[in-house]
Amino acid sequence: MGFPSYFFFLLFLFSFITLSYSDPRSSVAARICSNKTSTAADRVAFINNYLSAMNALTPQIASQRFGRVTEGTGNATLYAMGQCMGDLSKGDCDLCFAQCKIQIVTCLPYQRATRGGKIFLDGCYVRYDDYEFFEEALSRDDRTVCGNQTEFSGNQTAFAENAAEVVRNLSIEAPKNNGFFVGFVGGGNSTAYGLAQCWEFLNTSSCGRCLENAASSIGSCLPRGEGRALNSGCYMRYSTQRFYNNSGNATTSGGSNGRRHLVIILATTSSALAVVMIITSTVFFGRRRLSKMRKEKKLLGALATTINKSELNFNYETLERATNYFHSSNKLGQGGSGSVYKGILPDGKVIAIKRLFFNTRQWVDDFFNEVNLISRVHHKNLVKLLGCSITGPESLLVYEYVPNKSLLQHLFDKLNARLISWDMRYNILVGTAEGLAYLHEESELRIIHRDIKLGNILLDENFTAKIADFGLARLFPEDRTHISTGIAGTLGYMAPEYLVRGKLTEKADVYSFGVVLIEVICGRRINSHAEEPSSILHTVWSLYMSRTLPEVVDPTLEGKFREEDASRVLQIGLLCTQASPELRPIMSMVVKMLTDKSTIPSPTQPPFLNSNTQVPSIPFENFRPEPNSQSSGNSMTVTLLDPR
């Protein structure tokens, strides 16, 4: 929806106001609008703060020819200043500033949330922005404006030399004279006239630096007959024409009543414009908000009020800006359910945002209720779910940010790998076991993770383990998504009964944890390289049978561990990866075995994973082929026999 046409009609009418009673030098040298953005809510406040700032500046300009104000708080804070050139009379200064207020409104945030603007008239200057710029001498928006090439009846080379000299004089003399100086060099048709003005809030050294830069940049305009340097802290102009007054207190003869009348007209129209802007912006943003609320109500139904009042509901635009619009530089990783990005909220809080591959609109009520339930699951070894966004164009989950990335990256990523000592590995395994025990046995919800692996174990600033993505299976009911039904997990970590028959119990997580434990201690992946004859599970079992388990411990540890501790931990890993789920311990028992020195039972043979085919090698006492089964490529249909 565009901005109302009558607003632009008003601007059109104002452009025809003729300044025939005096010369306030109201020609626009440049208008520069920033491209910084803000929210729709900020835009309304920002516009209102602009109007208040202009109202506050007007009496300052009238009384002292310059002024500055600060309006608003937080993200909508606005800083503004204005100043007339030192040679302008009071009446001309008032007229020039009134024109500035009208001309600069096109920089204000209507549809696009621009956050700053500055306008240079030949007689005055106005700027507003969202940061305190008052003592700023130079900026990247500074520019030089050159006039058209002028033919001289006199000596063009002489004019260029005179203009260069007058510019030099201005840059030297103005800082010595309260930041303002006018003058000329030469005579006849080769005379060059010039004016330099620093803004009131610059000190002498900043003024000199600004004008030195202006003198350098304006030289590019020569030998043209007109040039202007427009810097954040100063203004410089040279010309073939004498455009300035000799005295700042000078008044032109005649026309004072007409000038006063024009000031009244401009002041009145400016106030009318302000009223129109307030009404229009309120109506515009109000209608847009109402339209958004209607769409949300249609999507969410009776749940709309509950979601909008909930602390779990995050605004999509807020999350979008928090990640710099999901810029690739903020991407933390990608999993089976979506991509994860780092984000920073307006209050400075760092979060992790998962962009789900699947839209939840078809079951939005169930999805939000499940988020509500899972967000109540708190444990020191679980990544906390903070909330979600379900009213935008895609579904997002919001988690606490865990700074040290995943265990996978620290152990096996060539770019991020670092040496993790035995004690660190041991503590990470104990923390992971405690987190799983909480999910299985202590939480109000019965949560089976289904995808325990190195990549889902994150590490905080103290290298404490935090399990990620727990409860995702609850968020995606199998009959409502395009997720593959029946089996969800990562090959190599999946328990045989789950992989083969789809039988899902807590013991499937126990198996996955056992695989993770063996990987962490051995420093090798479960999905071994093709040149290796067998999986790491096979290797560990063989060394267990020969009572030489310490041989398989990660060589990067350089023997800095106790062999009896390594043998004990690896034996626990074998207990967790036994083929029969009934023989595997529950996670609370795993925690107990890891943290005390009591006797642990002997494991039975695990279901080995052949590294070349990536399919289970079935121990005969536990498995038999399905009738008429066929092996094709990397898949095989097998059935787990009930050991009872």
Side-chain angles (χ1 to χ4, degrees), residues 323-369:
T323 60
N324 193 19
Y325 299 89
F326 300 105
H327 193 274
S328 57
S329 62
N330 287 319
K331 189 171 183 179
L332 299 174
Q334 182 168 313
S337 57
S339 303
V340 183
Y341 293 80
K342 178 181 177 180
I344 302 177
L345 295 175
D347 63 2
K349 183 175 182 179
V350 183
I351 56 174
I353 302 168
K354 172 165 280 194
R355 300 177 80 182
L356 299 175
F357 292 148
F358 311 101
N359 204 304
T360 62
R361 291 180 183 273
Q362 294 179 344
W363 74 99
V364 63
D365 50 348
D366 289 344
F367 180 84
F368 185 77
N369 289 332

Side-chain angles (χ1 to χ4, degrees), residues 491 494-501 511 535 537-538 541 577-581 584 604-611 613-626 629-631 634-643:
L491 193 62
M494 296 165 67
E497 75 278 5
Y498 181 46
L499 175 64
V500 174
R501 293 194 312 185
Y511 181 92
S535 78
L537 271 181
H538 192 178
W541 174 256
T577 55
Q578 295 177 97
S580 172
R584 297 173 207 149
T604 60
Q605 181 177 330
F608 302 137
L609 188 69
N610 183 287
S611 63
T613 63
Q614 297 287 290
V615 297
S617 298
I618 313 300
F620 71 91
E621 71 269 23
N622 289 324
F623 292 92
R624 63 182 168 92
E626 282 279 25
S629 66
Q630 295 180 345
S631 175
N634 289 342
S635 63
M636 177 181 287
T637 305
V638 292
T639 299
L640 176 68
L641 291 179
D642 191 333

Side-chain angles (χ1 to χ4, degrees), residues 193-311:
Y193 300 88
L195 176 150
Q197 173 81 63
C198 286
W199 310 135
E200 186 71 24
F201 312 109
L202 257 61
N203 58 34
T204 301
S205 62
S206 295
C207 175
R209 182 162 58 92
C210 186
L211 289 175
E212 183 179 351
N213 175 276
S216 174
S217 60
I218 205 172
S220 63
C221 292
L222 294 171
R224 298 187 182 187
E226 192 85 47
R228 296 174 178 86
L230 313 174
N231 290 349
S232 285
C234 61
Y235 170 95
M236 181 180 284
R237 178 185 178 188
Y238 78 81
S239 177
T240 58
Q241 305 296 319
R242 180 180 173 280
F243 56 86
Y244 53 78
N245 297 317
N246 284 334
S247 170
N249 297 319
T251 55
T252 55
S253 59
S256 59
N257 291 333
R259 181 163 56 253
R260 190 179 304 112
H261 181 62
L262 183 56
V263 170
I264 294 172
I265 292 175
L266 287 173
T268 304
T269 54
S270 179
S271 299
L273 176 61
V275 173
V276 171
M277 287 175 61
I278 292 174
I279 295 174
T280 304
S281 61
T282 302
V283 171
F284 173 72
F285 293 117
R287 289 180 62 182
R288 194 161 76 172
R289 178 172 174 78
L290 182 61
S291 175
K292 182 180 179 181
M293 290 174 61
R294 286 173 177 169
K295 289 180 181 178
E296 289 182 0
K297 188 173 182 180
K298 183 178 179 181
L299 169 65
L300 303 175
L303 198 63
T305 302
T306 302
I307 290 177
N308 287 328
K309 290 182 178 180
S310 173
E311 294 181 355

